[in-house]
Amino acid sequence: MKDKAVRVIEIKQNVFAKNEVNANKIRQQLKEEKTFMVNLMASPGAGKTSVLMRTIAMLKDEMKIGVMEADIDATVDADTIATTGVKVIQLHTGGMCHMDAEMTKQGLDEIDSSDVDLLFLENVGNLVCPAEFDTGATENVAILSVPEGDDKPLKYPLMFEVSNLVLINKIDAKIIFDFDDDAVVERIHQRNPKAEVIFLSAKTGEGFEAWCDWLRRHVKGQQE
């Protein structure tokens, strides 16, 4: 008896292909709305919310800002952002460790992305899964904090390959932790030669003018 042919279905490939289509539709929508959207990715505790709080304080009088907070559960970060007075919604991923384009679209509809100039998606805290799924954001930005170590671009390469800007946060902690600035920049550029790197501290504000200038330029570019 001959062996029956087994049909193989590449599920992961199909999932990513569908997500890519949805992500491109979102980017087109954002372009038409003249909304610049940042997909902010980092490990838990790297300082995503702290960076957003200081960023909002510096820019909220210049432009309309919105924030979509993605978490597996709870509303802790959204409650914190809400104290700034900007538009914010909480997105629960139902146990998933990342956002994808379909979930992002639901968030855009809820927050009304057409009514903001700068929109942040604070992705689920994780250096692996969020990098695999295109959310449709205009730009991906990764945050790496000093306590995590300068070797993370070697251990989690995809995160740094898909991010064209990397914020090195908590530089005020370098007096405690052994962190090599030159090494981390070199390792990031091994993964993505075009990536910009900005060193900053959400605690002291150091480096935030460079980060905010980056945002100003890109928001202006999206509106032209």
Side-chain angles (χ1 to χ4, degrees):
M1 182 177 178
K2 293 182 179 181
D3 293 338
K4 292 184 178 180
V6 176
R7 184 182 179 190
V8 178
I9 302 173
E10 297 290 348
I11 297 176
K12 187 174 182 180
Q13 180 178 343
N14 290 342
V15 168
F16 283 142
K18 180 180 178 181
N19 189 73
E20 187 67 27
V21 170
N22 290 335
N24 287 333
K25 289 180 179 178
I26 289 175
R27 266 185 289 276
Q28 182 59 38
Q29 174 185 334
L30 293 170
K31 184 177 180 180
E32 293 171 357
E33 293 174 347
K34 300 184 183 300
T35 299
F36 181 72
M37 176 178 159
V38 174
N39 177 27
L40 197 61
M41 300 178 287
S43 298
K48 295 189 299 300
T49 305
S50 297
V51 166
L52 283 179
M53 290 292 287
R54 186 175 283 274
T55 303
I56 291 168
M58 292 179 67
L59 294 177
K60 67 178 183 179
D61 293 334
E62 300 177 32
M63 59 187 75
K64 293 181 180 179
I65 300 174
V67 179
M68 300 189 296
E69 286 287 348
D71 283 297
I72 292 174
D73 205 346
T75 62
V76 176
D77 292 339
D79 291 340
T80 301
I81 295 294
T83 64
T84 67
V86 302
K87 296 176 66 173
V88 58
I89 60 170
Q90 180 71 57
L91 305 173
H92 284 162
T93 62
M96 299 182 72
C97 59
H98 65 273
M99 287 287 293
D100 62 20
E102 186 174 347
M103 290 187 282
T104 301
K105 182 63 169 66
Q106 294 179 49
L108 293 178
D109 292 342
E110 183 65 28
I111 201 169
D112 186 9
S113 54
S114 65
D115 190 42
V116 295
D117 304 307
L118 174 59
L119 178 62
F120 291 102
L121 168 60
E122 183 178 338
N123 215 315
V124 181
N126 194 314
L127 281 180
V128 181
C129 302
E132 295 183 337
F133 287 84
D134 190 344
T135 62
T138 318
E139 285 284 356
N140 292 324
V141 175
I143 299 178
L144 172 64
S145 66
V146 165
E148 294 175 81
D150 52 45
D151 60 351
K152 289 300 177 289
L154 301 177
K155 295 181 177 181
Y156 303 95
L158 185 60
M159 175 60 69
F160 300 91
E161 290 171 8
V162 302
S163 299
N164 286 325
L165 174 64
V166 180
L167 303 177
I168 308 297
N169 189 30
K170 303 186 182 181
I171 59 173
D172 54 286
K174 283 195 290 185
I175 59 173
I176 302 173
F177 296 93
D178 185 15
F179 190 91
D180 190 324
D181 291 0
D182 293 335
V184 77
V185 172
E186 180 181 352
R187 289 162 179 169
I188 290 169
H189 286 160
Q190 286 175 1
R191 303 304 181 186
N192 184 353
K194 297 181 180 180
E196 296 181 59
V197 182
I198 296 176
F199 291 81
L200 49 72
S201 168
K203 182 177 181 179
T204 68
E206 184 178 353
F208 265 76
E209 196 57 50
W211 158 233
C212 287
D213 281 346
W214 185 92
L215 289 168
R216 291 182 182 105
R217 291 195 307 271
H218 284 76
V219 169
K220 182 179 179 181
Q222 186 80 337
Q223 295 176 344
E224 290 178 346

